[in-house]
Amino acid sequence: MAATTRGINKSLLPSAKTRSTIAKRLSGVTGEMTTATVAEMEQRHAWFRRLSAEHRSWVTLVAQAGIDGFVRWFAEPEPSGPVTSEVFGSAPRELARRISLYQTVELVRTTIEVVEDQIDEVMPKADRPILHAAIVQYSREVAFSAAEIYARAAELRGAWDARLEALTVDAVLRGETDETVLSRASTLGWRSTAAAVVVVGPAPDRESAQALEAIRHAAAIAHTDMLGAVQGDRMVVVLGGADLTTPGRAAEVTAGFASVFGAGPVVVGPAVDHLMEAAASAREALSAFRAAPGWPEAPRPVASSDLLPERALSGDGHARRALARDLYDPLRAAGGGLLETLVTFLDQGLSVEAAARLLYVHANTVRYRLRRIHEVTGYSPTDPRDAYALRLALTLGRLLPGSRREEPAEA
């Protein structure tokens, strides 16, 4: 097989002197080629016609630089890989933000096609096969150069977006969600004006950017907005969407990407009305995440409200007050012997018959009151986990100021 130079068979290349002669003839028509290229782009591409005069001049510079670069490369005594960075370096960097990668590909394709047509029209027949073979190689390198420019621009945008997203999530956690933060969130794709939920879990084993993209993909499938960041050994995800207020919906969405987190508990905070209020959800989720080791059998994901006992024991004042306010106080206010029945039932090891004997009531009365306790608090005394929360709520309700009253001794 004949030796090749970056895709061109050397046996097909003429001598350096011949190439130099052909290049001189070619350089005399580069102006015509550029004019023909711009005219063809004007005719073919509506996006080009919509550009301002300044931006069209930038595209013309790129086309001219590409054609001139081809002539210089072809005239080199020792052919090597063409250096195409100067092609796109001739236009301001802003051009990459004005036209897309697809449009750049169209620009390169149109320029090459026009140059090939012009070669057939204005160059001697003997020069045409050589120039056609050379233009194929050169156009490939130009395409690679364009792809590299856009790839680097995408990497820079991605790195900046990641930093902006991390700052936004940090502001949400600290309760500093003002209009500036909302504007940043909107820039990052946050569209929800309704509920928001904060999810906290262990940092992933994989690279953080890949993990966040996997979560973003899962959230998009669930029609949910998402912001996320890795903070030390934990990963924080903020979800947004009107349906997150539906009971169990946030946990359902989180279950779709829970495997992306590292090993350990994944906690879902309560839904709040807006991203501006997400700090409240974050506070509960972070408290529950810290307390989660106290319940290693917890489901994954687990709601922060399901970890109220562990949060209370780990020093979370909000959790202690929630247990007293939402469980103990409603039972005390309901009357009907509910509080006394609960105390007796728990003291008797969750035995209905034993509680009935001590209360001097029928066992069915105890069962009825247990159902009422479930209705009033949302916790079932017959469930061991719920009974644990109710027992702690009784203790906290008796201790916390505002809940200390003599419990009714109703039979």
Side-chain angles (χ1 to χ4, degrees):
M1 181 179 292
T4 60
T5 299
R6 296 289 297 273
I8 298 179
N9 192 317
K10 285 185 175 180
S11 65
L12 299 179
L13 289 177
S15 64
K17 182 178 180 180
T18 302
R19 287 200 311 277
S20 177
T21 302
I22 295 175
K24 286 180 181 179
R25 287 196 289 268
L26 187 61
S27 63
V29 295
T30 55
E32 298 175 23
M33 290 182 175
T34 302
T35 302
T37 298
V38 174
E40 186 66 20
M41 293 194 67
E42 184 84 26
Q43 180 180 348
R44 283 192 193 184
H45 307 305
W47 62 265
F48 182 80
R49 294 192 295 270
R50 289 194 295 267
L51 292 176
S52 66
E54 180 184 16
H55 298 152
R56 284 199 299 272
S57 70
W58 293 348
V59 174
T60 302
L61 281 175
V62 172
Q64 180 68 60
I67 295 171
D68 291 343
F70 170 66
V71 174
R72 285 193 298 273
W73 168 73
F74 184 78
E76 288 179 359
E78 292 295 330
S80 59
V83 179
T84 57
S85 57
E86 60 187 14
V87 175
F88 296 99
S90 62
R93 184 172 297 179
E94 186 181 352
L95 182 63
R97 296 193 292 268
R98 292 292 180 178
I99 66 174
S100 66
L101 176 59
Y102 174 75
Q103 291 167 340
T104 303
V105 171
E106 288 187 321
L107 162 65
V108 173
R109 180 184 293 117
T110 301
T111 302
I112 297 305
E113 289 177 357
V114 170
V115 168
E116 288 182 326
D117 290 342
Q118 289 290 306
I119 286 173
D120 289 337
E121 291 180 10
V122 301
M123 297 299 291
K125 288 185 178 181
D127 296 346
R128 295 173 189 174
I130 300 169
L131 290 172
H132 280 305
I135 198 67
V136 168
Q137 170 66 10
Y138 188 80
S139 64
R140 187 185 74 170
E141 297 301 323
V142 169
F144 284 145
S145 180
E148 182 180 359
I149 288 171
Y150 279 86
R152 288 179 178 176
E155 288 178 357
L156 290 174
R157 285 195 299 271
W160 169 247
D161 285 351
R163 289 193 293 270
L164 185 63
E165 188 169 12
L167 289 172
T168 303
V169 171
D170 184 62
V172 168
L173 296 187
R174 290 187 283 110
E176 300 176 357
T177 313
D178 54 15
E179 291 298 330
T180 300
V181 174
L182 291 180
S183 177
R184 291 175 182 171
S186 177
T187 301
L188 294 166
W190 186 274
R191 299 291 178 265
S192 176
T193 58
V197 167
V198 174
V199 180
V200 181
D205 297 328
R206 72 171 87 176
E207 203 274 325
S208 59
Q210 294 178 357
L212 289 170
E213 282 307 310
I215 294 175
R216 204 180 314 280
H217 177 69
I221 293 175
H223 305 290
T224 304
D225 290 343
M226 174 264 178
L227 297 171
V230 173
Q231 299 181 328
D233 62 350
R234 71 191 183 198
M235 182 161 65
V236 180
V237 174
V238 186
L239 301 176
D243 63 342
L244 294 178
T245 56
T246 304
R249 176 56 179 166
E252 179 185 348
V253 174
T254 304
F257 56 77
S259 60
V260 178
F261 287 88
V266 176
V267 179
V268 182
V272 294
D273 292 337
H274 193 272
L275 184 62
M276 294 278 284
E277 303 168 13
S281 180
R283 182 183 62 243
E284 294 201 29
L286 289 169
S287 171
F289 179 66
R290 289 190 292 267
W295 186 22
E297 300 81 16
R300 192 174 191 263
V302 60
S304 60
S305 58
D306 291 339
L307 285 158
L308 277 175
E310 288 74 21
R311 291 166 53 193
L313 291 172
S314 68
D316 184 346
H318 293 282
R320 292 197 296 267
R321 288 187 291 274
L323 285 169
R325 181 183 65 246
D326 299 338
L327 279 69
Y328 179 82
D329 287 352
L331 285 175
R332 189 183 62 190
L338 298 187
L339 196 56
E340 182 186 15
T341 299
L342 176 61
V343 172
T344 305
F345 179 71
L346 294 177
D347 286 346
Q348 296 305 308
L350 310 187
S351 171
V352 172
E353 290 74 15
R357 285 194 300 270
L358 284 179
L359 293 170
Y360 299 103
V361 298
H362 195 277
N364 285 342
T365 301
V366 175
R367 293 188 181 95
Y368 166 77
R369 291 177 181 177
L370 295 178
R371 287 195 298 270
R372 283 284 297 137
I373 291 170
H374 191 190
E375 292 172 1
V376 170
T377 65
Y379 286 72
S380 172
T382 59
D383 179 84
R385 175 69 188 175
D386 286 1
Y388 172 57
L390 288 166
R391 170 66 81 182
L392 193 56
L394 287 173
T395 303
L396 292 168
R398 291 161 176 163
L399 292 175
L400 292 180
S403 296
R404 292 182 200 160
R405 287 186 195 163
E406 185 179 345
E407 295 175 6
E410 303 177 47

